Amino acid sequence: MRFLLLSLGLCLLLSSCREEPKINYSATKTADFSTAAVAGPHPLATKVALKVLQNGGNAIDAAVAMQFAMAVVYPRAGNIGGGGFLVYRDADGNSEALDYREQAPAAADRDMYLDEEGNVVQGLSTRGHLAVGVPGTVAGIAEMHRKHGSRPWKDLVGYSIDLAMNGYRLSQSEVGRIKRYHDDFAEFNKSTPFSDTTVVEGSLIVQPALAATLRRIRDKGAAGFYKGKTAELIVKEMKSGGGLITLEDLANYKPAWREPISKDYKEYRIISMPPSSSGGLCLAQMVEMLEPYPLSDWGFQSTPAVHTTVEAMRRAYADRAEYMGDSDFYPVPLDSLLDDDYLAGRMNDFREDSAGTSDAIVAGLEAVRESYETTHISIIDAAGNAVSITTTLNGNFGSKVMVDEGGFFLNNEMDDFSAKPGVPNMFGLIGKEANAIMPGKRMLSSMTPTIVEKDGELFLVLGAPGGSTIITAVLQTFLNVTEYGMPLAEAVNAPRFHHQYLPDVIVHEADALGNGVKEDLEKMGHQFRETKYMAVIKALQRLPEGTIVAAADRRNPDDDVKGY
Ligand code: DON
């Protein structure tokens, strides 16, 4: 059996088995394997998943162990203090989605981030204790294991305890990040394992408090987090900084199995995350709007292809702002939003020769201001079960609050709510009533863990971090493979663009829209902003004869992370 371990650093070792791509987008982080594959953001966590698979565990077992391992070695995004989504397709073709997104605490209020004049108080939803939603990760991992796990829970959690106690070595970029966030850590914490600015490349990070928390989770399952000592530590931490989460909030947290969004596009079927994510809905809307157009004839990033794709993006994100939120709390019109006639009608006002307009409700803020902090893992096991998981703290190290004696960072996911109608969040996204804050509600996400079938067979497993750019990155990667005929690594690495309705600009990478395309689009009335920040895809592709191709994105800022 040959397994694929694809991750940062290690993946470079695997590059020799690739042919030179037609278009060279530095497609170095890719490899082909025959049985099972794991793509993830950190080699140590990916190794853990690999070990689980080699010991006969299935894709869910590997994902369980890997997520806990990421909470140890990838603390800026891997987490037990955040939340996430699973899209799962078993080897028989049954698919389901697990929503373990954070929830607003019971004491949360729709105007909690507004001052007396009704203006949003900058920073309140992004930094510190008030920014924290009730974490869902541990409940989600326990639930996916309860339903689909085959290996003992204790063994799977055990890997992360070893990593926390034995330590991991810092890369140069991780050292830089520790220094950059020092003042934030100092503002909200007495001390953390990441507060020492004398660290250098190769310094060992040992996390005994986190190991103790993980032992409680190992011994008691989700109750080791949501009840007893860990819950008490979280609540104590909340009280120390004006946070809202109570013991009841924690005890009441429940993940939810949901019907995935499923949409056919030619011979493909896209299976993706429903609300509380907007990802699957927007992705499905965009492919349906684009299906009638001859994208492959037009060619990759030709003027008409970009123009049409941008206009589909604009319309999907307009619907996101208006209609999308947690469907347990707001009647998201799922059927209407996915209706073929509705979506065909959505393009009625599309003009081939000129840009559409987004109502200028607000002046355009930066669409993406921070770097990538969420994390995506794609796994296919030897039986053909596929796991697509995106999990997050939201910002780098979340709220920057670490639970004292608990050893883990808490999310700042409350910023994904619409703090005030029409006022952009940190990704420049706006929302309205559908995504207003309510106690117990989940904040709207853009995370888009996705599985694609071709002619009914497993074809792609993909997803990404990257805030609002996640959905358009998944769309473009899908189209690059299916319409533009690219091998997976090229599809992942090809330059990208992004439009999210507001601000009304095409955000694009420096190497996108070349050969006069940008100038042509400008003449049609489009506006632009160049960015360095785009989603970071992790993707697997199963070829017809069973080979699994894996590709990690050239965009990952952590290329130097240590695999030891
Ligand atoms: O759920 C969301 O859409 C965001 N909290 C994801 C954040 C993210 O991807 C951060 N990386 N840039």
Side-chain angles (χ1 to χ4, degrees):
M1 281 212 295
R2 288 181 76 211
F3 288 91
L4 170 58
L5 166 64
L6 182 73
S7 196
L8 302 176
L10 290 182
C11 52
L12 296 173
L13 303 176
L14 303 173
S15 60
S16 57
C17 60
R18 283 279 306 163
E19 285 175 17
E20 197 58 21
K22 282 195 299 263
I23 310 169
N24 185 2
Y25 295 125
S26 313
T28 50
K29 292 187 275 185
T30 180
D32 300 353
F33 282 76
S34 59
T35 305
V38 180
H42 196 290
L44 286 175
T46 310
K47 266 186 201 168
V48 164
L50 180 70
K51 259 191 227 160
V52 173
L53 291 174
Q54 282 170 329
N55 291 338
N58 62 29
I60 291 285
D61 295 322
V64 166
M66 187 170 175
Q67 287 178 91
F68 284 121
M70 289 195 305
V72 176
V73 299
Y74 201 65
R76 71 196 183 99
N79 68 80
I80 54 174
F85 298 129
L86 159 74
V87 172
Y88 178 64
R89 182 187 182 278
D90 71 19
D92 298 327
N94 307 304
S95 49
E96 54 191 339
L98 182 64
D99 180 344
Y100 50 106
R101 181 79 162 159
E102 299 90 331
Q103 293 176 318
D109 165 286
R110 62 183 291 142
D111 296 334
M112 64 188 278
Y113 299 117
L114 305 186
D115 64 16
E116 278 160 16
E117 272 89 57
N119 298 316
V120 174
V121 182
Q122 285 305 314
L124 217 50
S125 64
T126 53
R127 303 175 75 247
H129 297 70
L130 211 54
V132 184
V134 182
T137 296
V138 177
I141 302 176
E143 178 57 21
M144 67 182 77
H145 181 262
R146 183 197 66 76
K147 192 155 180 198
H148 293 298
S150 75
R151 284 287 176 269
W153 172 257
K154 290 189 180 196
D155 295 354
L156 299 175
V157 185
Y159 293 102
S160 61
I161 299 169
D162 292 347
L163 281 170
M165 288 312 291
N166 298 335
Y168 72 99
R169 298 208 176 265
L170 293 176
S171 70
Q172 194 53 48
S173 61
E174 288 166 331
V175 168
R177 212 168 283 122
I178 283 177
K179 294 190 175 165
R180 199 157 69 245
Y181 287 103
H182 176 262
D183 291 351
D184 294 287
F185 295 157
E187 186 177 340
F188 298 115
N189 304 285
K190 279 189 270 186
S191 115
T192 80
F194 308 96
S195 298
D196 174 9
T197 52
T198 66
V199 287
V200 292
E201 185 178 353
S203 291
L204 194 66
I205 296 285
V206 179
Q207 302 177 76
L210 178 56
T213 298
L214 290 166
R215 277 190 211 104
R216 291 190 287 276
I217 294 169
R218 177 195 63 192
D219 296 341
K220 300 203 168 97
F225 184 88
Y226 293 93
K227 295 190 173 151
K229 171 121 192 223
T230 315
E232 282 157 19
L233 291 174
I234 294 172
V235 171
K236 189 164 152 230
E237 182 63 55
M238 284 287 114
K239 285 190 177 147
S240 76
L244 301 181
I245 297 173
T246 62
L247 287 176
E248 291 72 42
D249 286 326
L250 292 164
N252 288 339
Y253 185 87
K254 296 237 166 2
W257 288 103
R258 303 194 191 279
E259 185 76 23
I261 299 291
S262 173
K263 191 80 184 159
D264 291 343
Y265 176 90
K266 300 185 178 172
E267 66 267 48
Y268 305 97
R269 171 164 293 171
I270 287 173
I271 301 161
S272 191
M273 196 65 210
S276 57
S277 185
S278 63
L281 272 176
C282 288
L283 181 63
Q285 288 194 306
M286 291 187 293
V287 297
E288 182 65 31
M289 283 187 262
L290 289 170
E291 192 169 358
Y293 296 92
L295 296 179
S296 57
D297 292 348
W298 283 338
F300 170 74
Q301 288 194 10
S302 59
T303 302
V306 176
H307 173 58
T308 311
T309 307
V310 161
E311 293 304 328
M313 291 174 179
R314 181 198 306 278
R315 286 158 177 78
Y317 278 78
D319 280 0
R320 183 191 194 281
E322 186 70 36
Y323 304 115
M324 297 185 202
D326 180 352
S327 49
D328 290 344
F329 282 74
Y330 183 85
V332 180
L334 279 179
D335 292 344
S336 308
L337 289 172
L338 293 173
D339 182 71
D340 290 355
D341 292 338
Y342 168 71
L343 291 166
R346 212 71 183 97
M347 291 297 266
N348 278 347
D349 59 351
F350 168 72
R351 299 260 318 267
E352 278 172 21
D353 54 353
S354 65
T357 51
S358 302
D359 292 335
I361 298 166
V362 285
L365 295 186
E366 286 280 289
V368 179
R369 291 207 296 257
E370 267 219 38
S371 60
Y372 308 118
E373 310 84 13
T374 300
T375 184
H376 182 82
I377 60 181
S378 294
I379 302 176
I380 299 175
D381 67 19
N385 302 302
V387 158
S388 190
I389 287 177
T390 315
T391 174
T392 188
L393 289 168
N394 199 19
N396 250 330
F397 304 102
S399 60
K400 322 296 191 258
V401 176
M402 176 173 270
V403 175
D404 193 28
E405 294 177 52
F408 56 94
F409 285 105
L410 292 167
N411 66 83
N412 60 341
E413 218 74 62
M414 291 295 284
D415 188 63
D416 276 344
F417 278 118
S418 174
K420 182 180 175 180
V423 175
N425 74 357
M426 74 184 216
F427 298 108
L429 291 166
I430 58 159
K432 296 182 189 166
E433 186 60 31
N435 191 29
I437 303 170
M438 285 173 76
K441 191 173 173 182
R442 292 176 160 98
M443 53 295 285
L444 186 63
S445 176
S446 302
M447 295 190 289
T448 316
T450 298
I451 293 173
V452 180
E453 292 174 355
K454 182 178 183 186
D455 298 322
E457 300 292 329
L458 178 64
F459 182 58
L460 292 174
V461 184
L462 76 168
S468 56
T469 67
I470 294 172
I471 317 172
T472 54
V474 170
L475 171 74
Q476 285 168 87
T477 306
F478 168 74
L479 293 175
N480 288 347
V481 172
T482 59
E483 290 291 339
Y484 304 121
M486 293 186 198
L488 190 66
E490 278 178 53
V492 166
N493 288 320
R496 288 191 214 121
F497 56 90
H498 169 77
H499 196 292
Q500 61 180 48
Y501 171 58
L502 288 172
D504 187 358
V505 290
I506 300 177
V507 179
H508 67 93
E509 293 177 305
D511 50 355
L513 316 181
N515 300 323
V517 168
K518 185 171 170 182
E519 291 70 22
D520 287 348
L521 291 165
E522 202 157 19
K523 284 185 205 133
M524 296 163 82
H526 288 288
Q527 300 176 69
F528 301 89
R529 189 177 61 236
E530 195 177 304
T531 185
K532 287 195 294 216
Y533 302 120
M534 278 285 175
V536 180
I537 293 273
K538 297 278 182 307
L540 303 175
Q541 178 179 10
R542 200 156 78 161
L543 302 178
E545 79 282 11
T547 303
I548 302 168
V549 182
D553 206 312
R554 65 177 165 126
R555 295 167 181 85
N556 204 312
D558 282 321
D559 270 352
D560 63 340
V561 293
K562 305 289 180 200
Y564 55 91

